[in-house]
Amino acid sequence: MSKNTYKKIVILTGAGLSAESGLHTFRDKDGIWAKYDYREVATPEGYQRNPSLVLDFYNERRRQSAGVKPNAAHGALARLEAEYPGLVLTVTQNIDPLHEAAGSKQLIHMHGEIAKALCSACGGRHAIGGEDITVSSACPACGMPSTLRPDVVWFGEMPYRMDEIYRALTTCDLFLSIGTSGTVYPAANFVLEAAASGAHTVELNLEPSERYGGFREAIHGPATEIVPAYVDRLLRAARG
Ligand code: APR
């Protein structure tokens, strides 16, 4: 391993990574939260008030996610994981399946996955691909009707696998933040955790994020251009 190799790279990704695959981000001018009130469609209270509205919101996003392909940025991250001599872990805020479709395996979906359903009766999580969930959908495991919701983390709920994520942040020596506005916690604070552990921190984003000042390095531009170029740079340096 050349001396220019990081031992462990942790990569945080957000909606900007999937934008060039054709999926809307949340906070850009044509973003999802410009069309929907997140309190109505992405909170437990909204789901209690109107489950059909919430299920239809995610059914539409599930159909969109099933109809798009990973882009060159997803592919570059999968290549980094496969070819880099150090460890590479991707922590995504995205609920789309594009990282897996590009070949990433060391992957944590901290906000859940739109292609999975969660049963409120048995707690089971089930892959449902591009299928719709309705208010009467039955759980494929326990058979109970009207118990399925999207297996996604709503505002006010605890993101998944946070212990693993913090262990990775406190032991990595390179932290990359790609395609995220840095406005939603706890992900927005990951750069501080990594920096406190001595990691080099890099923001790769279309434009400076809210947390831009917290990074030691920043590269701005479309993910399909800046991410493959940065991955090539890491691989070249590791080859010495
Ligand atoms: N290439 C790189 N970055 C891009 C591109 C692109 N082609 N297009 C947009 N971006 C950047 C935007 O500049 C913005 O900083 O991606 C970021 C997207 O920010 P958000 O829309 O806020 O999405 P994200 O940061 O992933 O949101 C975090 O908020 O609503 C919740 O649960 C939801 O996981 C989501 C979380």
Side-chain angles (χ1 to χ4, degrees), residues 166-227:
Y166 279 117
R167 274 200 301 278
L169 290 168
T170 52
T171 55
C172 73
D173 46 1
L174 177 62
F175 175 73
L176 308 180
S177 177
I178 304 176
T180 181
S181 59
T183 49
V184 173
Y185 292 82
N189 264 342
F190 288 178
V191 59
L192 300 182
E193 293 289 339
S197 306
H200 180 53
T201 55
V202 187
E203 169 173 281
L204 294 103
N205 205 55
L206 188 63
E207 59 204 11
S209 74
E210 300 244 327
R211 309 299 303 220
Y212 160 66
F215 290 87
R216 285 184 47 198
E217 187 181 356
I219 302 167
H220 294 131
T224 54
E225 289 171 22
I226 62 175
V227 175

Side-chain angles (χ1 to χ4, degrees), residues 91 108 110 160-169 190:
V91 178
I108 295 178
M110 64 180 288
Y160 292 157
R161 300 171 63 183
M162 288 306 296
D163 290 347
E164 283 176 73
I165 293 169
Y166 279 117
R167 274 200 301 278
L169 290 168
F190 288 178

Side-chain angles (χ1 to χ4, degrees), residues 27-104:
R27 295 172 183 82
D28 287 325
K29 60 184 178 329
D30 62 344
I32 293 171
W33 300 145
K35 301 184 191 86
Y36 293 89
D37 178 345
Y38 78 89
R39 289 161 299 190
E40 296 306 314
V41 294
T43 62
E45 298 76 11
Y47 180 65
Q48 291 308 322
R49 269 195 303 276
N50 188 340
S52 295
L53 174 72
V54 173
L55 294 176
D56 287 346
F57 170 71
Y58 285 97
N59 289 338
E60 175 52 32
R61 291 184 60 203
R62 192 173 302 109
R63 285 192 285 270
Q64 288 166 5
S65 295
V68 297
K69 297 213 177 323
N71 61 52
H74 296 102
L77 296 182
R79 185 158 52 87
L80 183 67
E81 178 190 309
E83 298 175 12
Y84 196 73
L87 296 171
V88 177
L89 171 69
T90 299
V91 178
T92 187
Q93 300 172 93
N94 299 339
I95 58 177
D96 65 55
L98 295 179
H99 277 300
E100 297 87 332
S104 288

